[in-house]
């Protein structure tokens, strides 16, 4: 059995994309994260020290998405996964869905997204 903490719909502004326009103007990104870890100890102890503080995870994700510009949302999602797995030793794996709801494309569509899953080790 795998437990998880789910963070949904985190809205962050960043400057990611291949065009100069995307890298020079803030645009909205939406992040969903699933943090896979054993939550049984925390469920029994009712102690934040036995789990991952998702407020800290949200802050970490905001710093990455709002930080260094990248060409690809794939790279941003990978950066998030790598950082979270390094920082939070309780994590077994992490899934990030990074959405770009308003890419500068002439066609009308709801946006683009990537989903990346990474495991410890």
């Amino acid at each position: 059995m795998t437990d998880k903490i789910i963070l949904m719909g985190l809205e962050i502004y960043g400057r990611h994309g291949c065009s100069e326009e995307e890298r020079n103007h803030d645009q909205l990104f939406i992040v969903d994260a699933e943090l896979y870890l054993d939550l049984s100890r925390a469920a029994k102890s009712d102690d934040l020290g036995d789990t991952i503080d998702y407020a800290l995870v949200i802050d970490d994700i905001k710093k990455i998405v709002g930080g260094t510009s990248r060409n690809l949302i794939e790279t941003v999602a990978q950066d998030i996964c790598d950082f979270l797995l390094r920082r939070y030793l309780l994590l077994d794996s992490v899934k990030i869905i990074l959405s770009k709801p308003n890419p500068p494309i002439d066609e009308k569509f709801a946006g683009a997204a990537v989903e990346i899953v990474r495991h410890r080790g």
Side-chain angles (χ1 to χ4, degrees):
M1 176 178 76
T2 303
D3 304 325
K4 61 184 167 182
I5 296 171
I6 304 169
L7 307 174
M8 301 171 291
L10 180 58
E11 296 184 5
I12 308 166
Y13 285 86
R15 296 179 179 212
H16 308 288
C18 292
S19 73
E20 188 174 331
E21 175 187 347
E22 291 174 292
R23 295 169 74 85
N24 288 329
H25 297 92
D26 283 344
Q27 54 189 313
L28 177 65
F29 294 87
I30 300 171
V31 180
D32 297 314
E34 294 184 9
L35 312 174
Y36 294 86
L37 68 155
D38 184 351
L39 296 172
S40 60
R41 185 172 179 180
K44 290 176 186 169
S45 70
D46 197 30
D47 185 341
L48 183 59
D50 290 331
T51 188
I52 294 173
D53 184 343
Y54 58 79
L56 295 176
V57 173
I58 288 170
D59 191 50
D60 293 333
I61 293 171
K62 285 172 58 177
K63 287 176 185 172
I64 294 167
V65 175
T68 303
S69 292
R70 302 293 194 174
N71 288 329
L72 303 177
I73 57 176
E74 292 88 330
T75 305
V76 180
Q78 181 68 52
D79 289 348
I80 294 168
C81 290
D82 289 345
F83 183 86
L84 296 180
L85 285 168
R86 274 194 317 270
R87 179 166 187 194
Y88 300 99
L89 300 180
L90 291 176
L91 274 180
D92 295 324
S93 58
V94 62
K95 176 168 82 172
I96 297 295
I97 300 172
L98 179 61
S99 303
K100 189 176 194 177
N102 300 306
I105 296 178
D106 292 337
E107 288 76 18
K108 183 164 178 67
F109 74 116
V114 296
E115 177 179 307
I116 293 183
V117 179
R118 296 296 179 259
H119 307 279
R120 182 169 303 287

